[in-house]
Amino acid sequence: MQLRVPPPPPQPEPSGTGGRAARRHGTGPSRARPTARATPATALGSRLAPLARYARRLRPRYPRPGRTGWRRWIPSWRQWLGSVLSGCGLVTLFLVVAYAATDIPDNLNSYATQQDNVYFWSDGTPMARTGWVQRQAMPLKDIPQDVRWAVIAAENETFYTDPGISLKGITRAVWRTVGQGDTEGGSTITQQYVKNVYLNQNQTISRKFTEAMIALKLDNKMSKDQILEGYLNTSWFGRGTYGIQRAAQAYYGKDVSKLNASEAAMLASLLKGAGLYDPTLSKANHRRAVQRWSWILDRMVKIGKLSPAERATYKTFPEPLKSNPLYDTGEQSDYLVELASQYAKKAGHLTDKQFDLGGYQIYTTFDRKREKALTDAVTKVRKQAKKQNPAAAKSGHYGAASVAANGRILAVYGGPDHRRQGYNESNATTVPAGSAFLPFVYAAGLQHGVHKTRVGPATPVTPYSVYDGDDAVPVSTPEGPYWDRSGRKVAARNDGGKSYGRITLRHALAQSVNTPFMQLGMDTGLDKVRQTAVASGLLRSSIGRQVPELSMGTSTPSAIRMASGYSTFAAGGKHTDPYSVSRITRNGTPVALATPRPKRAVRAGVAADVTEALTDSFRAAHPSVAGTKAGVSGKAGSNEKDTAAWYAGTADSVSTAVVVYRIDLAKSLEPLPLHGLAGTSTDSVPYNLWSVAMGLD
């Protein structure tokens, strides 16, 4: 049996020889300690120990030991340094996160990219502009170097070297916003471009910060030239214009490519605020503009983009135009713009949204000289009518159009003022053609022949085919007289109830004898009459009902379509749909345009026969003019109810149609009796206007 002897109790250390305090200072008796392998946590702790001791030293101890008075509460330089470094680190972290979180918007500000559309006369000179803003984007290659550097010198001379933002400028802007309630100053060209196309114009610190973040990213994504091009095309220059191209036209009446350095410097000064630097607004503005213009030119010399010798040549301030020449479209030209825009969208396959975003250059077919002559003539007639017959003149309308044999619309008269009367008198299909429709019946008979029986081939018709020209001759069919729904025989009527006896078709057309053509229409077939009129240029929707009266002109073509129809005969029987736009570009790039092509309407021989008869008609009615001008053909047109008076004809491959009628637009579109508004047969208002439009007067 073994006895377990307990170990002796530990002996207490003498108080004078050590203990915990002695061991802390290394003065106690040594004691063997077992060695152990260092763990990773122990190793990491040993490495962080210096940092921990440094952090404990930075930890503020208040009041500070070893200091007296107020100094006991002031942090040490180590504490100040730690705070600054910590703040910088947090700010840097915030900016890095903000930069990463900020995306360049996918969609540009639609207003910033919206442009105007510009319309040109057939000779290439500007006619009008439309759109909510005046802006036309220009490729940077088409903007002269002097213009670019004038803007850079004025706004941001370090543009090509800066990162897209100016820290100094941003700081100044923030200081003014916080300290003085003002947000001026500090934006680079890149920042201004960002504000124009991605953001709004709100003057807030948050918008300024977002602007800076996007500018930094944009500067890394786009080339400097791309940014400069965008900036020059979106900046506001006053006078309702956006972009350097419209500014050049508004202030100097020329394209940007024609500007010199002096003019460019004046336009660059407007970027600081057109309300303060447009020299035409006030004397104070003029003084400021001259000073800034001179400063910009000097600045260009300083940055090496303008030689001192060239600078010396620019001593006189380049005075701009007094007003914007593109601001108003004018009264009559609004009708032209309406026609051209409708055609441009249709032929160019453009949606309303695309067209409204602008940037299109529409080159029209309108002849400036013809348009002026026609407009002046109708304006004069309107004034005379108001004096002589004010009651009738109040509801009077004068539609007129000139169309070339190849389909080009050269001139129209649409009304006195589009802003008060949007109704286009030249394009209205409301009044009957009357006897001006007879050439189409004649052409149909010559083209298709006639049927005197229900079966068998058609019998050819020539200009010398004879018909009964007496008044009130009943219209017949192969089965006998034609009866209307009321049970009455249908008979044709001549103007004034006059009878002509047996008469050839050519002579009947020249004398405007109605009755032969009513019967000719029945013999040819009213469907063939309709087909020929449509093929010649009249709209299908304007053709009258398929009854015997169709041949008497119950159709209601517009002046444009009537002129187009007569031009088919002048073009040898080929018809080209009338068009008002010859070419479209968008910011200089061509837009595909579906230009109409000529189509055969009637045989060339038929067209020649119709033209000869119309030439006889013109010579018989106006022998004095016919003797001095060869190759002119034309015919008057009237109807039984005296609600419209026409004159249509051709000279030098241009056909013109004029119609005078009365409609009270406030009540209805029902034609009213003319009551003498169209003049007399010897002094016909439609003919007088036609002769001016054709250059015969």
Side-chain angles (χ1 to χ4, degrees), residues 571-589:
K574 288 187 175 181
H575 171 69
T576 305
D577 274 342
Y579 63 97
S580 56
V581 177
S582 59
R583 184 165 63 96
I584 302 176
T585 60
R586 189 169 196 273
N587 299 330
T589 302

PDB file of all heavy atoms in Angstrom, residues 571-589:
ATOM      1  N   ALA A 571     -45.835  68.449-121.433  1.00  0.00           N
ATOM      2  CA  ALA A 571     -44.725  67.499-121.318  1.00  0.00           C
ATOM      3  C   ALA A 571     -44.882  66.321-122.266  1.00  0.00           C
ATOM      4  O   ALA A 571     -44.270  65.266-122.055  1.00  0.00           O
ATOM      5  CB  ALA A 571     -44.619  67.006-119.882  1.00  0.00           C
ATOM      6  N   GLY A 572     -45.690  66.480-123.310  1.00  0.00           N
ATOM      7  CA  GLY A 572     -45.838  65.417-124.297  1.00  0.00           C
ATOM      8  C   GLY A 572     -46.619  64.232-123.801  1.00  0.00           C
ATOM      9  O   GLY A 572     -46.421  63.109-124.282  1.00  0.00           O
ATOM     10  N   GLY A 573     -47.495  64.453-122.823  1.00  0.00           N
ATOM     11  CA  GLY A 573     -48.341  63.371-122.331  1.00  0.00           C
ATOM     12  C   GLY A 573     -47.778  62.610-121.152  1.00  0.00           C
ATOM     13  O   GLY A 573     -48.409  61.670-120.656  1.00  0.00           O
ATOM     14  N   LYS A 574     -46.614  62.990-120.676  1.00  0.00           N
ATOM     15  CA  LYS A 574     -46.041  62.361-119.479  1.00  0.00           C
ATOM     16  C   LYS A 574     -46.328  63.233-118.263  1.00  0.00           C
ATOM     17  O   LYS A 574     -46.135  64.454-118.313  1.00  0.00           O
ATOM     18  CB  LYS A 574     -44.538  62.159-119.628  1.00  0.00           C
ATOM     19  CG  LYS A 574     -44.161  61.058-120.596  1.00  0.00           C
ATOM     20  CD  LYS A 574     -42.661  60.793-120.576  1.00  0.00           C
ATOM     21  CE  LYS A 574     -42.305  59.611-121.464  1.00  0.00           C
ATOM     22  NZ  LYS A 574     -40.848  59.316-121.429  1.00  0.00           N
ATOM     23  N   HIS A 575     -46.766  62.581-117.215  1.00  0.00           N
ATOM     24  CA  HIS A 575     -47.084  63.334-115.994  1.00  0.00           C
ATOM     25  C   HIS A 575     -46.093  63.023-114.886  1.00  0.00           C
ATOM     26  O   HIS A 575     -45.740  61.862-114.652  1.00  0.00           O
ATOM     27  CB  HIS A 575     -48.486  62.992-115.498  1.00  0.00           C
ATOM     28  CG  HIS A 575     -48.766  63.565-114.136  1.00  0.00           C
ATOM     29  ND1 HIS A 575     -48.903  64.923-113.917  1.00  0.00           N
ATOM     30  CD2 HIS A 575     -48.901  62.966-112.918  1.00  0.00           C
ATOM     31  CE1 HIS A 575     -49.119  65.135-112.634  1.00  0.00           C
ATOM     32  NE2 HIS A 575     -49.122  63.970-112.008  1.00  0.00           N
ATOM     33  N   THR A 576     -45.633  64.088-114.231  1.00  0.00           N
ATOM     34  CA  THR A 576     -44.789  63.962-113.036  1.00  0.00           C
ATOM     35  C   THR A 576     -45.530  64.602-111.889  1.00  0.00           C
ATOM     36  O   THR A 576     -45.920  65.773-111.974  1.00  0.00           O
ATOM     37  CB  THR A 576     -43.432  64.657-113.232  1.00  0.00           C
ATOM     38  OG1 THR A 576     -42.790  64.139-114.394  1.00  0.00           O
ATOM     39  CG2 THR A 576     -42.538  64.432-112.018  1.00  0.00           C
ATOM     40  N   ASP A 577     -45.736  63.843-110.831  1.00  0.00           N
ATOM     41  CA  ASP A 577     -46.440  64.404-109.669  1.00  0.00           C
ATOM     42  C   ASP A 577     -45.752  65.679-109.201  1.00  0.00           C
ATOM     43  O   ASP A 577     -44.517  65.735-109.133  1.00  0.00           O
ATOM     44  CB  ASP A 577     -46.472  63.402-108.516  1.00  0.00           C
ATOM     45  CG  ASP A 577     -47.649  62.449-108.616  1.00  0.00           C
ATOM     46  OD1 ASP A 577     -48.604  62.768-109.345  1.00  0.00           O
ATOM     47  OD2 ASP A 577     -47.607  61.386-107.981  1.00  0.00           O
ATOM     48  N   PRO A 578     -46.526  66.709-108.864  1.00  0.00           N
ATOM     49  CA  PRO A 578     -45.912  67.962-108.418  1.00  0.00           C
ATOM     50  C   PRO A 578     -45.150  67.766-107.113  1.00  0.00           C
ATOM     51  O   PRO A 578     -45.613  67.073-106.203  1.00  0.00           O
ATOM     52  CB  PRO A 578     -47.106  68.901-108.233  1.00  0.00           C
ATOM     53  CG  PRO A 578     -48.271  68.003-108.012  1.00  0.00           C
ATOM     54  CD  PRO A 578     -47.995  66.778-108.834  1.00  0.00           C
ATOM     55  N   TYR A 579     -43.986  68.363-107.031  1.00  0.00           N
ATOM     56  CA  TYR A 579     -43.186  68.257-105.811  1.00  0.00           C
ATOM     57  C   TYR A 579     -42.547  69.598-105.499  1.00  0.00           C
ATOM     58  O   TYR A 579     -42.301  70.410-106.391  1.00  0.00           O
ATOM     59  CB  TYR A 579     -42.133  67.153-105.930  1.00  0.00           C
ATOM     60  CG  TYR A 579     -41.080  67.358-107.001  1.00  0.00           C
ATOM     61  CD1 TYR A 579     -39.833  67.899-106.680  1.00  0.00           C
ATOM     62  CD2 TYR A 579     -41.320  67.006-108.322  1.00  0.00           C
ATOM     63  CE1 TYR A 579     -38.854  68.073-107.650  1.00  0.00           C
ATOM     64  CE2 TYR A 579     -40.344  67.164-109.297  1.00  0.00           C
ATOM     65  CZ  TYR A 579     -39.115  67.703-108.959  1.00  0.00           C
ATOM     66  OH  TYR A 579     -38.152  67.877-109.920  1.00  0.00           O
ATOM     67  N   SER A 580     -42.289  69.811-104.227  1.00  0.00           N
ATOM     68  CA  SER A 580     -41.804  71.114-103.763  1.00  0.00           C
ATOM     69  C   SER A 580     -40.406  71.063-103.170  1.00  0.00           C
ATOM     70  O   SER A 580     -39.878  72.102-102.778  1.00  0.00           O
ATOM     71  CB  SER A 580     -42.772  71.682-102.714  1.00  0.00           C
ATOM     72  OG  SER A 580     -42.945  70.765-101.648  1.00  0.00           O
ATOM     73  N   VAL A 581     -39.800  69.885-103.075  1.00  0.00           N
ATOM     74  CA  VAL A 581     -38.461  69.747-102.481  1.00  0.00           C
ATOM     75  C   VAL A 581     -37.594  68.938-103.433  1.00  0.00           C
ATOM     76  O   VAL A 581     -37.967  67.837-103.849  1.00  0.00           O
ATOM     77  CB  VAL A 581     -38.524  69.054-101.105  1.00  0.00           C
ATOM     78  CG1 VAL A 581     -37.122  68.857-100.546  1.00  0.00           C
ATOM     79  CG2 VAL A 581     -39.372  69.862-100.142  1.00  0.00           C
ATOM     80  N   SER A 582     -36.439  69.486-103.778  1.00  0.00           N
ATOM     81  CA  SER A 582     -35.533  68.799-104.692  1.00  0.00           C
ATOM     82  C   SER A 582     -34.424  68.050-103.971  1.00  0.00           C
ATOM     83  O   SER A 582     -33.874  67.076-104.500  1.00  0.00           O
ATOM     84  CB  SER A 582     -34.904  69.802-105.661  1.00  0.00           C
ATOM     85  OG  SER A 582     -34.175  70.803-104.950  1.00  0.00           O
ATOM     86  N   ARG A 583     -34.100  68.493-102.738  1.00  0.00           N
ATOM     87  CA  ARG A 583     -32.974  67.881-102.017  1.00  0.00           C
ATOM     88  C   ARG A 583     -33.110  68.161-100.531  1.00  0.00           C
ATOM     89  O   ARG A 583     -33.590  69.224-100.139  1.00  0.00           O
ATOM     90  CB  ARG A 583     -31.659  68.461-102.538  1.00  0.00           C
ATOM     91  CG  ARG A 583     -30.395  67.857-101.951  1.00  0.00           C
ATOM     92  CD  ARG A 583     -29.179  68.237-102.804  1.00  0.00           C
ATOM     93  NE  ARG A 583     -28.951  69.674-102.816  1.00  0.00           N
ATOM     94  CZ  ARG A 583     -28.085  70.306-102.009  1.00  0.00           C
ATOM     95  NH1 ARG A 583     -27.379  69.611-101.128  1.00  0.00           N
ATOM     96  NH2 ARG A 583     -27.911  71.612-102.106  1.00  0.00           N
ATOM     97  N   ILE A 584     -32.697  67.193 -99.708  1.00  0.00           N
ATOM     98  CA  ILE A 584     -32.705  67.355 -98.250  1.00  0.00           C
ATOM     99  C   ILE A 584     -31.370  66.875 -97.707  1.00  0.00           C
ATOM    100  O   ILE A 584     -30.857  65.823 -98.113  1.00  0.00           O
ATOM    101  CB  ILE A 584     -33.836  66.549 -97.577  1.00  0.00           C
ATOM    102  CG1 ILE A 584     -35.210  66.955 -98.121  1.00  0.00           C
ATOM    103  CG2 ILE A 584     -33.816  66.744 -96.061  1.00  0.00           C
ATOM    104  CD1 ILE A 584     -36.342  66.121 -97.551  1.00  0.00           C
ATOM    105  N   THR A 585     -30.813  67.634 -96.782  1.00  0.00           N
ATOM    106  CA  THR A 585     -29.641  67.180 -96.035  1.00  0.00           C
ATOM    107  C   THR A 585     -29.914  67.366 -94.551  1.00  0.00           C
ATOM    108  O   THR A 585     -30.782  68.159 -94.174  1.00  0.00           O
ATOM    109  CB  THR A 585     -28.373  67.966 -96.423  1.00  0.00           C
ATOM    110  OG1 THR A 585     -28.583  69.366 -96.129  1.00  0.00           O
ATOM    111  CG2 THR A 585     -28.055  67.811 -97.898  1.00  0.00           C
ATOM    112  N   ARG A 586     -29.192  66.634 -93.747  1.00  0.00           N
ATOM    113  CA  ARG A 586     -29.257  66.843 -92.295  1.00  0.00           C
ATOM    114  C   ARG A 586     -27.853  67.101 -91.805  1.00  0.00           C
ATOM    115  O   ARG A 586     -27.002  66.213 -91.825  1.00  0.00           O
ATOM    116  CB  ARG A 586     -29.860  65.652 -91.561  1.00  0.00           C
ATOM    117  CG  ARG A 586     -30.129  65.989 -90.084  1.00  0.00           C
ATOM    118  CD  ARG A 586     -30.975  64.928 -89.392  1.00  0.00           C
ATOM    119  NE  ARG A 586     -31.510  65.448 -88.143  1.00  0.00           N
ATOM    120  CZ  ARG A 586     -30.868  65.405 -86.970  1.00  0.00           C
ATOM    121  NH1 ARG A 586     -29.661  64.857 -86.900  1.00  0.00           N
ATOM    122  NH2 ARG A 586     -31.417  65.910 -85.882  1.00  0.00           N
ATOM    123  N   ASN A 587     -27.617  68.341 -91.417  1.00  0.00           N
ATOM    124  CA  ASN A 587     -26.283  68.779 -91.007  1.00  0.00           C
ATOM    125  C   ASN A 587     -25.245  68.443 -92.077  1.00  0.00           C
ATOM    126  O   ASN A 587     -24.127  68.022 -91.787  1.00  0.00           O
ATOM    127  CB  ASN A 587     -25.891  68.149 -89.665  1.00  0.00           C
ATOM    128  CG  ASN A 587     -26.840  68.553 -88.553  1.00  0.00           C
ATOM    129  OD1 ASN A 587     -27.402  69.636 -88.577  1.00  0.00           O
ATOM    130  ND2 ASN A 587     -27.041  67.675 -87.587  1.00  0.00           N
ATOM    131  N   GLY A 588     -25.650  68.630 -93.328  1.00  0.00           N
ATOM    132  CA  GLY A 588     -24.742  68.433 -94.442  1.00  0.00           C
ATOM    133  C   GLY A 588     -24.746  67.042 -95.043  1.00  0.00           C
ATOM    134  O   GLY A 588     -24.216  66.833 -96.133  1.00  0.00           O
ATOM    135  N   THR A 589     -25.362  66.075 -94.374  1.00  0.00           N
ATOM    136  CA  THR A 589     -25.411  64.702 -94.881  1.00  0.00           C
ATOM    137  C   THR A 589     -26.687  64.497 -95.691  1.00  0.00           C
ATOM    138  O   THR A 589     -27.783  64.763 -95.191  1.00  0.00           O
ATOM    139  CB  THR A 589     -25.374  63.693 -93.727  1.00  0.00           C
ATOM    140  OG1 THR A 589     -24.181  63.901 -92.958  1.00  0.00           O
ATOM    141  CG2 THR A 589     -25.390  62.270 -94.253  1.00  0.00           C
TER     142      THR A 589
END
